[in-house]
Amino acid sequence: MQTNKIIMTVKKYLQKEHKIDINDVDPDALVILDKLRAHGYTAYLVGGSVRDLLLNYTPKDYDISTNALPEQIKRVFSNCFLVGKRFRLAHVRMGHKTFEVSTFRNGDNEDDALIQNDNEWGSEEQDVTRRDFTVNGLFYDNDSQTIIDYVGGVEDGRKNMLRCIGNPYIRFKQDPVRMIRLLKFKARFGLDPDEQMIEALFALRTETLKSSPIRILEELLRMLESGSSVPFLKNLQHHGFLETLLPNLAHFFETPLENEIYDLLTEVDRSILVENARAPKRPLLVACIVYPIYRKRMQEIYEASPRKAHLGKMQDEAFKITSHLFGPTLRITKKILAETVNILATQYRFTPLQKKKALVCKIPRTRDFDQALKFFKLRADLEPGLTDIYNEWVYYYEKFKKSAPPTKRATTTRRPRRHR
Ligand code: ATP
Ligand code: MG
């Protein structure tokens, strides 16, 4: 077994070697880095953004690491808020964007106890060793345009390899969310995890139940938005994580409904990756997973007794099924749950269980109707027989929007200023 001590040798890569074009870096991130440096601190881009730039992907966000303490960061930027208890860091606002600026930390890589609090400050070398994977442990110094690599992340990235910083058995026990992250990077970038990590993954799967459900749910939802939701769910399934984290849902992945779920998510992934569309909202993504199961259940209820399949029942069932599938471990937030229920139940306005002779497009005054319609579009993309009905609803919805008085929410504009 490999030793738990992490051997550090620093390697610096010049621009001509790593080939990252500084013009591809968000100018606001550069402003933050320059400002910290102007105040005498060390500051680098770190983590996902460096990895993405190195592997030729467009970064989703930019994390910055510095030797300035949170209070010192706050003093440098007027638009800065300190957040987080387990992991204290600064959020710096630039226009509508928020950048996470964290202080170099020290992490113990030899103790496998679950990390409850990660707020011990350290040097830049120490900061790297507490990060999860070598490709995520790179610093980018925009001043000299160099990559500072303490862990061999550049070489691993070039070889398409995903390697843990330190011993995976220890690192996964310290923070089991790292296992979910491993499956996420494998799905998103096609990185190959090394043998020892795969062994640790199988051995320590159930440790994820010790982690905060909020953090796990966040990683899952982020992956649904990533354009790689299908390979990610397949990874979860293949490595037994679906069974561990979402046992009520895992069962349906053993049935033909699995294909229907994957068809909907494949369509979402395609629109994000091929058409460059923005990721749908989270309730719609959750609806992709729940809908085939819900639809089957509603069909059964209708066949047993058509009168029982009324709108109230549809809402009830949507609520029951969605909360059941995401329970008992993860539990989605009330807001996502409520919106998902609306999206699901509204599908029966578009395609009622009881076939009507003529289509009546009556637009309900619910706030999530546009989301329900977007979900219907997804269904119509997969089932061309629904396209005409979809187009008709869109036509009436556009008309409705033009004629309808603004809803209560929209009318709560700012109070006019009083003039003297
Ligand atoms: P994404 O593109 O999904 O944002 P990311 O790697 O940037 O991926 P973040 O959650 O933004 O993920 O984290 C930023 C960086 O913080 C990571 O690249 C990694 O260096 C470090 N990090 C995040 N989570 C962990 C963890 N659980 N354990 C160790 N290091 C972590
Ligand atoms: Mg990130």
Side-chain angles (χ1 to χ4, degrees):
M1 198 189 258
Q2 114 192 18
T3 76
N4 302 335
K5 262 244 162 339
I6 297 167
I7 300 149
M8 309 285 280
T9 44
V10 65
K11 204 160 173 200
K12 294 196 178 180
Y13 293 86
L14 302 175
Q15 199 282 331
K16 63 176 187 226
E17 294 166 304
H18 60 66
K19 302 207 168 58
I20 293 176
D21 184 349
I22 197 158
N23 297 312
D24 290 340
V25 181
D26 188 312
D28 288 332
L30 299 177
V31 168
I32 298 176
L33 290 165
D34 291 342
K35 205 160 172 192
L36 281 165
R37 248 195 322 275
H39 280 76
Y41 300 113
T42 306
Y44 303 126
L45 271 188
V46 70
S49 57
V50 187
R51 173 201 65 221
D52 293 352
L53 289 164
L54 187 72
L55 300 179
N56 275 323
Y57 291 91
T58 309
K60 284 192 294 165
D61 48 33
Y62 291 83
D63 295 316
I64 289 164
S65 212
T66 172
N67 62 350
L69 301 178
E71 287 68 25
Q72 292 172 322
I73 303 170
K74 194 163 167 48
R75 259 177 259 137
V76 174
F77 301 97
S78 53
N79 45 354
C80 170
F81 307 88
L82 301 187
V83 297
K85 206 168 151 200
R86 179 187 174 276
F87 192 93
R88 190 146 179 80
L89 83 164
H91 275 178
V92 178
R93 294 291 300 266
M94 299 285 269
H96 63 277
K97 285 177 279 184
T98 301
F99 293 85
E100 293 197 340
V101 184
S102 60
T103 307
F104 294 144
R105 280 166 162 74
N106 189 5
D108 187 344
N109 286 311
E110 290 167 57
D111 180 1
D112 67 4
L114 194 71
I115 299 171
Q116 306 280 5
N117 180 316
D118 196 357
N119 288 322
E120 192 188 321
W121 313 137
S123 64
E124 65 178 63
E125 292 93 321
Q126 286 166 332
D127 188 78
V128 170
T129 59
R130 58 122 201 129
R131 291 180 183 274
D132 47 6
F133 304 105
T134 58
V135 283
N136 288 344
L138 302 169
F139 290 129
Y140 176 76
D141 176 7
N142 68 312
D143 196 31
S144 58
Q145 295 190 39
T146 50
I147 285 186
I148 305 169
D149 182 1
Y150 287 97
V151 285
V154 172
E155 276 305 306
D156 286 345
R158 282 180 182 156
K159 288 192 242 155
N160 233 24
M161 266 182 65
L162 191 61
R163 220 161 37 87
C164 210
I165 298 177
N167 180 333
Y169 282 89
I170 292 180
R171 304 311 311 282
F172 293 168
K173 277 191 120 180
Q174 284 182 328
D175 182 2
V177 174
R178 288 171 185 154
M179 291 188 270
I180 313 283
R181 288 174 57 81
L182 180 158
L183 298 176
K184 135 174 159 171
F185 297 125
K186 182 166 143 59
R188 228 163 86 195
F189 307 113
L191 293 172
D192 255 340
D194 69 17
E195 278 291 309
Q196 204 194 8
M197 281 211 298
I198 294 291
E199 282 167 22
L201 201 69
F202 278 108
L204 301 175
R205 189 181 64 214
T206 51
E207 294 280 311
T208 38
L209 296 172
K210 295 182 186 162
S211 293
S212 140
I214 298 171
R215 289 182 62 218
I216 296 187
L217 190 66
E218 179 60 28
E219 292 287 1
L220 290 185
L221 292 172
R222 274 209 229 169
M223 277 313 287
L224 292 180
E225 297 168 326
S226 72
S228 304
S229 68
V230 171
F232 175 68
L233 275 178
K234 288 192 171 169
N235 279 345
L236 283 186
Q237 216 183 334
H238 178 70
H239 293 90
F241 281 78
L242 208 57
E243 181 70 53
T244 306
L245 298 172
L246 295 163
N248 298 339
L249 176 67
H251 150 73
F252 289 101
F253 276 79
E254 309 290 316
T255 72
L257 295 176
E258 175 196 24
N259 290 337
E260 289 184 43
I261 299 174
Y262 279 137
D263 284 349
L264 286 164
L265 289 174
T266 302
E267 193 53 34
V268 171
D269 283 353
R270 194 192 58 77
S271 72
I272 298 172
L273 291 185
V274 181
E275 291 165 14
N276 238 339
R278 270 181 75 164
K281 290 194 176 165
R282 289 179 168 188
L284 194 149
L285 294 165
V286 172
C288 290
I289 294 179
V290 182
Y291 178 71
I293 300 163
Y294 170 65
R295 187 191 49 73
K296 182 164 180 282
R297 174 80 187 123
M298 284 315 303
Q299 192 64 39
E300 284 163 3
I301 293 174
Y302 179 73
E303 276 164 19
S305 166
R307 288 180 54 207
K308 279 198 177 149
H310 50 79
L311 197 66
K313 182 76 178 161
M314 285 164 183
Q315 294 255 353
D316 280 357
E317 283 298 318
F319 180 87
K320 259 200 260 170
I321 291 176
T322 312
S323 13
H324 174 72
L325 293 178
F326 283 83
T329 32
L330 295 190
R331 269 190 271 145
I332 49 175
T333 61
K334 279 190 190 147
K335 188 166 182 288
I336 296 185
L337 180 61
E339 290 182 27
T340 307
V341 167
N342 237 326
I343 293 173
L344 293 171
T346 307
Q347 298 312 304
Y348 287 102
R349 284 185 188 272
F350 305 135
T351 48
L353 282 161
Q354 190 167 22
K355 302 283 169 289
K356 295 196 175 133
K357 280 192 200 106
L359 184 70
V360 186
C361 297
K362 203 166 157 229
I363 311 292
R365 282 181 177 276
T366 49
R367 239 194 296 137
D368 309 319
F369 183 76
D370 64 326
Q371 290 300 307
L373 198 56
K374 279 195 179 132
F375 187 79
F376 186 38
K377 163 90 170 62
L378 209 60
R379 289 174 55 206
D381 286 343
L382 292 170
E383 213 184 305
L386 298 177
T387 308
D388 286 348
I389 309 175
Y390 169 76
N391 288 337
E392 205 156 335
W393 277 94
V394 171
Y395 171 77
Y396 281 104
Y397 186 45
E398 291 305 321
K399 235 170 116 175
F400 168 83
K401 279 196 290 187
K402 276 186 202 137
S403 68
T407 59
K408 235 182 183 176
R409 230 171 180 225
T411 49
T412 50
T413 46
R414 253 196 282 159
R415 239 195 266 164
R417 242 193 239 177
R418 267 202 226 166
H419 293 285
R420 288 211 198 155

